[in-house]
Amino acid sequence: MIINSRMRACFGVKTQQLISRVFRHPVHPSAAVGWRLAQSRLLSAGESKPRPSMLKHLTFKIKATGPITVAEYMREVLTNPVTGYYVRNNMLGPDGDFITSPEISQIFGELLGVWILSEWMAAGRPKHLQLVELGPGKGSLASDILRVFNQLKSVLDGCSVSLHLVEVSPGLSGVQAQTLTGGSSVESSSEDDPVFRRGETSAGLPVFWYRCLEDVPAGFSIFIANEFFDALPIHTFQRTPKGWREVLVDIDPEKQNRLRFVVSPSPTPASSALIQPEERRSHVEVCADGGVLVQQISRRIVEDGGAALIADYGHDGTKTDTFRGFKGHRQHDVLSSPGSADLTADVDFSFLRTMIGGGVACLGPVTQNMFLKNMGIDTRMEVLLRNCSHGPTRMQLIRSYDMLMNPEKMGERFLFFSLLHHSRLAEPKKSEGMKLEDKSPAPLPVGGFTEISFS
């Protein structure tokens, strides 16, 4: 992870060159079609049938053991291996319940691909690069990133690159395999194999699928988590005259086929352990799983080198009640027909920073429009529009840009947060001997979190 002075001096130029080389390539043909479909179906997607089996499972569980935590409710609803929401394979895109940034515009993935390469270069160009994506959706983001890698393969010359996907949904892993390997992947025949699926892209890059981060092998890694942390289970707490109490999910006594929220009459282990002493809000959501996960990522960055980029709906310790459901691209009652809708809560980046401690350096969160603008999205748009004479495609480009950048849409609600090895931000060592220049060289800028000049 040692960065020599020459690399520090030319890094800004190198990053600009990476971006401008990517910007010469046209928009991917599927992007315009995908966005038009998304726009036309965004408000007309039909409601899917409720899943009574999940409701029966939950009511049986509550009758047997008492009210359950919101975290347990989310875990069951989203990842139950039999009836969980993520067992379905059609929740993403215009036909599903929500659309992620990679489905809106390929530019999003291109700029993240440039960010990954810039961090790899800043680390001294290690001989092995593991790209690790948590919750890779349909594989669209990884596909866009790998296309950038292919365009800049001369930059990666001599580096062994591999893609590692952490996915809990068997159905989605099949969709990702089709996107990334053309359906040529194979599933493991052993339950004990940490790699449950493996394949190879058309360019010969190996792809591996895992059920949890612990199974991903050690090594220099860049971790990407786009709209992943917001789906992790949260504990919900309410301040009362008797102190903090946890919000639980119980059966409605007046309607046995419905669920309701209740407040625990006494402290729970979670309410005693997860509330920070300085907390001033009256209602708090805490994602303990997210805290554990960033600690794992931080430890790997410290031990093996690398970086992490988390992009998600979130806040910096200011919001209170953000727990919500999405079904057919519309908000949905989180307790209604469990298992038929996505559940999500805004990421509390202040909590993640607290859990990380001082092991790694944290940057952000910054808004998506700031991050993408710093990465050069406006320059990319200028190139695309200048080279595009097809009216509908130009309109699609403008609409997708507006969705990503407009403060009223994703521009300010979506945040970027980065974890970096401390050496990444260290001041360059001064050379010994007499110098005419007294100025100390500045730390190497980080793409997205620092504006890149194109002068």
Side-chain angles (χ1 to χ4, degrees):
M1 291 287 297
I2 297 175
I3 307 167
N4 61 50
S5 58
R6 183 179 179 185
M7 183 172 293
R8 286 183 179 274
C10 70
F11 179 75
V13 176
K14 291 290 186 183
T15 305
Q16 294 176 35
Q17 291 173 348
L18 286 178
I19 294 176
S20 53
R21 285 174 63 180
V22 173
F23 286 0
R24 288 201 296 267
H25 293 263
V27 69
H28 197 270
S30 64
V33 176
W35 177 247
R36 285 196 296 272
L37 285 172
Q39 285 286 84
S40 65
R41 299 177 188 177
L42 189 61
L43 297 178
S44 62
E47 297 274 315
S48 59
K49 293 181 180 179
R51 294 187 164 199
S53 56
M54 172 58 75
L55 181 59
K56 289 180 180 178
H57 167 70
L58 291 169
T59 54
F60 178 82
K61 188 182 187 77
I62 292 170
K63 287 177 180 178
T65 63
I68 60 176
T69 65
V70 174
E72 188 173 359
Y73 175 77
M74 285 186 71
R75 193 174 290 110
E76 286 284 356
V77 168
L78 296 179
T79 61
N80 182 285
V82 178
T83 55
Y85 174 78
Y86 289 134
V87 173
R88 299 168 58 193
N89 61 7
N90 64 340
M91 75 283 291
L92 290 166
D95 292 320
D97 294 323
F98 56 92
I99 299 175
T100 59
S101 295
E103 274 79 45
I104 293 173
S105 173
Q106 73 173 66
I107 303 176
F108 183 87
E110 290 175 346
L111 295 179
L112 264 60
V114 172
W115 188 89
I116 292 165
L117 286 179
S118 68
E119 287 308 305
W120 169 77
M121 292 168 60
R125 302 174 182 254
K127 293 298 182 184
H128 301 280
L129 167 60
Q130 293 187 157
L131 173 58
V132 182
E133 186 178 0
L134 309 178
K138 288 186 173 182
S140 303
L141 178 57
S143 178
D144 290 339
I145 290 172
L146 295 185
R147 189 171 62 253
V148 170
F149 284 12
N150 187 57
Q151 293 167 5
L152 301 174
K153 54 188 174 184
S154 60
V155 176
L156 284 162
D157 186 40
C159 177
S160 170
V161 180
S162 55
L163 176 61
H164 304 260
L165 305 176
V166 179
E167 179 57 72
V168 298
S169 168
L172 273 179
S173 72
V175 176
Q176 296 152 12
Q178 185 65 41
T179 300
L180 297 166
T181 70
S184 62
S185 68
V186 294
E187 294 188 52
S188 173
S189 58
S190 171
E191 287 285 335
D192 298 327
D193 190 346
V195 180
F196 72 85
R197 184 191 289 271
R198 66 190 73 216
E200 193 174 273
T201 68
S202 58
L205 187 147
V207 187
F208 306 93
W209 280 262
Y210 311 84
R211 294 179 181 86
C212 58
L213 179 61
E214 293 95 322
D215 292 334
V216 178
F220 180 91
S221 303
I222 304 290
F223 301 89
I224 299 293
N226 178 59
E227 293 196 51
F228 174 77
F229 277 80
D230 68 317
L232 295 178
I234 59 164
H235 288 270
T236 303
F237 306 101
Q238 183 69 44
R239 191 194 295 273
T240 74
K242 295 181 179 180
W244 285 102
R245 295 293 185 266
E246 185 161 9
V247 177
L248 306 174
V249 177
D250 197 4
I251 301 169
D252 190 330
E254 297 181 0
K255 298 179 181 179
Q256 289 297 303
N257 63 341
R258 290 184 63 86
L259 302 173
R260 65 169 185 168
F261 289 117
V262 296
V263 177
S264 173
S266 58
T268 63
S271 66
S272 301
L274 295 179
I275 299 295
Q276 301 298 316
E278 65 276 10
E279 184 57 65
R280 294 293 177 263
R281 289 170 288 177
S282 60
H283 186 92
V284 180
E285 299 163 338
V286 179
C287 181
D289 287 10
V292 172
L293 191 59
V294 292
Q295 288 179 337
Q296 293 174 352
I297 293 173
S298 300
R299 185 168 58 250
R300 293 175 65 117
I301 291 174
V302 170
E303 295 174 355
D304 305 315
L309 187 64
I310 300 171
D312 226 314
Y313 291 101
H315 59 95
D316 203 14
T318 57
K319 293 186 179 180
T320 56
D321 186 5
T322 69
F323 184 36
R324 59 198 182 277
F326 284 98
K327 186 175 181 179
H329 299 277
R330 297 178 181 178
Q331 287 209 29
H332 179 79
D333 181 357
V334 293
L335 296 182
S336 176
S337 59
S340 69
D342 183 36
L343 301 179
T344 179
D346 285 5
V347 179
D348 185 344
F349 289 101
S350 68
F351 173 73
L352 297 186
R353 192 184 300 109
T354 299
M355 295 300 291
I356 291 167
V360 295
C362 298
L363 292 183
V366 299
T367 60
Q368 174 166 287
N369 51 18
M370 178 182 292
F371 180 90
L372 295 180
K373 191 174 288 288
N374 286 344
M375 286 299 299
I377 189 173
D378 291 336
T379 303
R380 174 57 164 154
M381 279 293 294
E382 289 175 9
V383 172
L384 289 175
L385 292 173
R386 186 166 58 244
N387 296 329
C388 178
S389 58
H390 184 244
T393 301
R394 288 178 61 88
M395 289 304 299
Q396 177 270 322
L397 287 170
I398 293 170
R399 283 195 299 266
S400 63
Y401 175 89
D402 180 64
M403 178 62 75
L404 292 176
M405 301 294 286
N406 190 324
E408 300 299 320
K409 296 178 182 178
M410 298 182 72
E412 291 189 357
R413 291 194 60 211
F414 210 70
L415 304 179
F416 280 74
F417 184 74
S418 182
L419 281 59
L420 302 170
H421 196 283
H422 276 297
S423 64
R424 172 67 175 82
L425 301 178
E427 293 279 353
K429 289 183 178 180
K430 295 182 181 179
S431 56
E432 295 180 2
M434 292 182 63
K435 292 188 67 176
L436 297 175
E437 182 68 51
D438 290 329
K439 269 188 178 179
S440 174
L444 187 63
V446 179
F449 298 88
T450 305
E451 184 177 1
I452 298 175
S453 172
F454 287 89
S455 58

